[in-house]
PDB file of all heavy atoms in Angstrom:
ATOM      1  N   VAL A 188     -14.621  40.449  59.429  1.00 87.00           N
ATOM      2  CA  VAL A 188     -15.841  39.660  59.604  1.00 87.00           C
ATOM      3  C   VAL A 188     -16.927  40.526  60.205  1.00 87.00           C
ATOM      4  O   VAL A 188     -18.103  40.449  59.826  1.00 87.00           O
ATOM      5  CB  VAL A 188     -15.549  38.431  60.497  1.00 87.00           C
ATOM      6  CG1 VAL A 188     -16.827  37.697  60.841  1.00 87.00           C
ATOM      7  CG2 VAL A 188     -14.599  37.491  59.785  1.00 87.00           C
ATOM      8  N   ASN A 189     -16.531  41.370  61.141  1.00 87.00           N
ATOM      9  CA  ASN A 189     -17.521  42.223  61.794  1.00 87.00           C
ATOM     10  C   ASN A 189     -18.159  43.191  60.808  1.00 87.00           C
ATOM     11  O   ASN A 189     -19.338  43.524  60.929  1.00 87.00           O
ATOM     12  CB  ASN A 189     -16.844  42.998  62.939  1.00 87.00           C
ATOM     13  CG  ASN A 189     -17.871  43.682  63.815  1.00 87.00           C
ATOM     14  OD1 ASN A 189     -18.923  43.114  64.079  1.00 87.00           O
ATOM     15  ND2 ASN A 189     -17.589  44.894  64.227  1.00 87.00           N
ATOM     16  N   SER A 190     -17.365  43.644  59.820  1.00 87.00           N
ATOM     17  CA  SER A 190     -17.931  44.601  58.865  1.00 87.00           C
ATOM     18  C   SER A 190     -19.035  43.958  58.052  1.00 87.00           C
ATOM     19  O   SER A 190     -19.921  44.638  57.552  1.00 87.00           O
ATOM     20  CB  SER A 190     -16.835  45.132  57.950  1.00 87.00           C
ATOM     21  OG  SER A 190     -16.386  44.106  57.104  1.00 87.00           O
ATOM     22  N   ILE A 191     -18.989  42.633  57.882  1.00 86.00           N
ATOM     23  CA  ILE A 191     -20.056  41.967  57.127  1.00 86.00           C
ATOM     24  C   ILE A 191     -21.188  41.546  58.059  1.00 86.00           C
ATOM     25  O   ILE A 191     -22.369  41.720  57.761  1.00 86.00           O
ATOM     26  CB  ILE A 191     -19.496  40.738  56.388  1.00 86.00           C
ATOM     27  CG1 ILE A 191     -18.367  41.157  55.442  1.00 86.00           C
ATOM     28  CG2 ILE A 191     -20.598  40.041  55.605  1.00 86.00           C
ATOM     29  CD1 ILE A 191     -17.689  40.012  54.750  1.00 86.00           C
ATOM     30  N   LEU A 192     -20.820  40.937  59.206  1.00 84.00           N
ATOM     31  CA  LEU A 192     -21.860  40.394  60.085  1.00 84.00           C
ATOM     32  C   LEU A 192     -22.494  41.448  60.982  1.00 84.00           C
ATOM     33  O   LEU A 192     -23.619  41.294  61.421  1.00 84.00           O
ATOM     34  CB  LEU A 192     -21.258  39.295  60.974  1.00 84.00           C
ATOM     35  CG  LEU A 192     -20.954  37.973  60.300  1.00 84.00           C
ATOM     36  CD1 LEU A 192     -20.390  37.001  61.317  1.00 84.00           C
ATOM     37  CD2 LEU A 192     -22.202  37.386  59.675  1.00 84.00           C
ATOM     38  N   LYS A 193     -21.718  42.502  61.261  1.00 83.00           N
ATOM     39  CA  LYS A 193     -22.195  43.573  62.132  1.00 83.00           C
ATOM     40  C   LYS A 193     -22.637  43.050  63.495  1.00 83.00           C
ATOM     41  O   LYS A 193     -23.772  43.211  63.929  1.00 83.00           O
ATOM     42  CB  LYS A 193     -23.338  44.368  61.468  1.00 83.00           C
ATOM     43  CG  LYS A 193     -22.858  44.998  60.169  1.00 83.00           C
ATOM     44  CD  LYS A 193     -23.863  45.928  59.608  1.00 83.00           C
ATOM     45  CE  LYS A 193     -23.490  46.456  58.233  1.00 83.00           C
ATOM     46  NZ  LYS A 193     -22.275  46.000  57.576  1.00 83.00           N
ATOM     47  N   CYS A 194     -21.679  42.326  64.130  1.00 82.00           N
ATOM     48  CA  CYS A 194     -21.948  41.883  65.501  1.00 82.00           C
ATOM     49  C   CYS A 194     -21.954  43.110  66.427  1.00 82.00           C
ATOM     50  O   CYS A 194     -21.379  44.130  66.098  1.00 82.00           O
ATOM     51  CB  CYS A 194     -20.831  40.942  65.973  1.00 82.00           C
ATOM     52  SG  CYS A 194     -20.527  39.568  64.876  1.00 82.00           S
ATOM     53  N   ASN A 195     -22.538  42.964  67.578  1.00 81.00           N
ATOM     54  CA  ASN A 195     -22.618  44.118  68.491  1.00 81.00           C
ATOM     55  C   ASN A 195     -21.311  44.273  69.247  1.00 81.00           C
ATOM     56  O   ASN A 195     -21.076  43.605  70.245  1.00 81.00           O
ATOM     57  CB  ASN A 195     -23.769  43.923  69.491  1.00 81.00           C
ATOM     58  CG  ASN A 195     -25.100  44.022  68.780  1.00 81.00           C
ATOM     59  OD1 ASN A 195     -25.211  44.778  67.817  1.00 81.00           O
ATOM     60  ND2 ASN A 195     -26.087  43.283  69.253  1.00 81.00           N
ATOM     61  N   VAL A 196     -20.457  45.124  68.700  1.00 81.00           N
ATOM     62  CA  VAL A 196     -19.190  45.421  69.386  1.00 81.00           C
ATOM     63  C   VAL A 196     -19.268  46.868  69.827  1.00 81.00           C
ATOM     64  O   VAL A 196     -19.564  47.759  69.023  1.00 81.00           O
ATOM     65  CB  VAL A 196     -17.992  45.202  68.446  1.00 81.00           C
ATOM     66  CG1 VAL A 196     -16.686  45.487  69.152  1.00 81.00           C
ATOM     67  CG2 VAL A 196     -18.009  43.794  67.869  1.00 81.00           C
ATOM     68  N   ASP A 197     -18.992  47.098  71.089  1.00 82.00           N
ATOM     69  CA  ASP A 197     -19.184  48.465  71.566  1.00 82.00           C
ATOM     70  C   ASP A 197     -17.954  49.317  71.310  1.00 82.00           C
ATOM     71  O   ASP A 197     -16.879  48.824  70.993  1.00 82.00           O
ATOM     72  CB  ASP A 197     -19.558  48.475  73.057  1.00 82.00           C
ATOM     73  CG  ASP A 197     -18.505  47.728  73.863  1.00 82.00           C
ATOM     74  OD1 ASP A 197     -17.670  47.019  73.266  1.00 82.00           O
ATOM     75  OD2 ASP A 197     -18.535  47.855  75.107  1.00 82.00           O
ATOM     76  N   ASP A 198     -18.146  50.576  71.427  1.00 84.00           N
ATOM     77  CA  ASP A 198     -17.117  51.549  71.054  1.00 84.00           C
ATOM     78  C   ASP A 198     -15.864  51.432  71.889  1.00 84.00           C
ATOM     79  O   ASP A 198     -14.770  51.728  71.431  1.00 84.00           O
ATOM     80  CB  ASP A 198     -17.666  52.973  71.168  1.00 84.00           C
ATOM     81  CG  ASP A 198     -18.448  53.363  69.920  1.00 84.00           C
ATOM     82  OD1 ASP A 198     -18.571  52.492  69.023  1.00 84.00           O
ATOM     83  OD2 ASP A 198     -18.918  54.516  69.842  1.00 84.00           O
ATOM     84  N   THR A 199     -16.037  51.017  73.149  1.00 85.00           N
ATOM     85  CA  THR A 199     -14.847  50.927  74.007  1.00 85.00           C
ATOM     86  C   THR A 199     -13.880  49.891  73.455  1.00 85.00           C
ATOM     87  O   THR A 199     -12.664  50.116  73.412  1.00 85.00           O
ATOM     88  CB  THR A 199     -15.223  50.551  75.448  1.00 85.00           C
ATOM     89  OG1 THR A 199     -16.217  49.514  75.396  1.00 85.00           O
ATOM     90  CG2 THR A 199     -15.768  51.730  76.193  1.00 85.00           C
TER      91      THR A 199
END
Side-chain angles (χ1 to χ4, degrees):
Chain A
V188 173
N189 191 39
S190 69
I191 302 176
L192 286 181
K193 300 188 187 2
C194 307
N195 291 327
V196 181
D197 55 347
D198 277 2
T199 43

